[in-house]
Amino acid sequence: MSIADKLVLQRHHHLKWRALDRLELVLMMICGALCFGFSLSVLFDILTRTIGHPWLWLQEVTSTLFIYAIFIGAAVATRRNDHLYLTAISDSLHGTPRMIVEIIIRVVVLGVAFCLIWFGYINYLRGFGSFRLPSGTPIASLYAVIPLSAILIALFTVEQLVNGIRNGFDHPEPEEEMIIPSVETSLDRRTRP
């Protein structure tokens, strides 16, 4: 099993389009790089402050990596049904009631995504009037990820809606079998012919 197969979940595969599996893989890799970069920048920020020569620009890098990781992670989690999804309600239902609840949940998520696109874009445009210190880069560099993430959330929600209506939302996932090795005891050896 390759790393790509481990990063792209096959859970809820009846709600996914194969064409978007590569996008999920790329987004998962970006999230990993962002989280690693965030951790590294916090470490260097602490080290440089401890030795008395702080790198002030590290705080900007840290906040940027953190914000990008949150919003890109929200998009990936939407595709993986790990975020913005009320499973407790829908998992307890079957048939038509489940279909109705699943559609309502995803329509609400789609509405939130459209609000994030609209207001995120407005904030992005307004961000060109404010600047971050000490670098002087526009705040818009932080806000750019919000509408991008919302577009991905909307795409993944539409994907789930179309496939859920077409294939049904209520597909039991195959349980992973645990292979337990047999342990031979001394009693087993004595009773064996």
Side-chain angles (χ1 to χ4, degrees):
M1 184 177 247
S2 69
I3 293 174
D5 294 332
K6 291 179 183 177
L7 287 178
V8 177
L9 285 184
Q10 294 307 312
R11 186 180 71 216
H12 304 291
H13 60 88
H14 65 284
L15 296 176
K16 298 179 180 181
W17 291 320
R18 279 227 177 277
L20 295 180
D21 284 350
R22 285 238 193 254
L23 179 59
E24 181 182 348
L25 173 64
V26 169
L27 291 174
M28 285 296 293
M29 292 168 62
I30 290 171
C31 281
L34 289 169
C35 288
F36 179 75
F38 169 76
S39 301
L40 204 58
S41 68
V42 168
L43 174 71
F44 283 130
D45 192 24
I46 292 170
L47 286 176
T48 58
R49 287 178 186 279
T50 302
I51 62 173
H53 298 290
W55 296 344
L56 298 178
W57 58 269
L58 274 174
Q59 291 180 354
E60 286 185 50
V61 170
T62 302
S63 64
T64 302
L65 293 172
F66 183 69
I67 290 168
Y68 273 66
I70 287 171
F71 282 99
I72 292 175
V76 173
T78 300
R79 179 146 204 268
R80 297 162 70 99
N81 281 337
D82 289 336
H83 192 59
L84 299 171
Y85 183 66
L86 306 172
T87 58
I89 298 169
S90 61
D91 285 348
S92 64
L93 302 172
H94 299 285
T96 304
R98 178 166 184 169
M99 176 80 78
I100 292 168
V101 169
E102 294 275 7
I103 290 171
I104 289 170
I105 289 170
R106 283 175 175 83
V107 166
V108 169
V109 171
L110 203 54
V112 170
F114 286 135
C115 287
L116 282 171
I117 291 169
W118 178 256
F119 294 111
Y121 184 68
I122 290 172
N123 278 340
Y124 169 72
L125 292 178
R126 288 184 182 166
F128 286 105
S130 301
F131 300 94
R132 302 177 72 191
L133 294 175
S135 71
T137 58
I139 291 268
S141 64
L142 288 178
Y143 297 150
V145 74
I146 297 171
L148 173 67
S149 167
I151 289 168
L152 292 170
I153 289 171
L155 172 68
F156 296 145
T157 303
V158 167
E159 170 193 36
Q160 292 172 8
L161 265 172
V162 169
N163 289 324
I165 291 170
R166 184 180 298 155
N167 303 326
F169 291 97
D170 195 8
H171 277 265
E173 296 296 325
E175 292 186 23
E176 295 177 18
E177 293 183 24
M178 290 183 54
I179 300 174
I180 302 171
S182 62
V183 177
E184 187 177 32
T185 63
S186 60
L187 180 63
D188 293 335
R189 279 185 244 136
R190 279 186 267 155
T191 58
R192 194 173 29 178

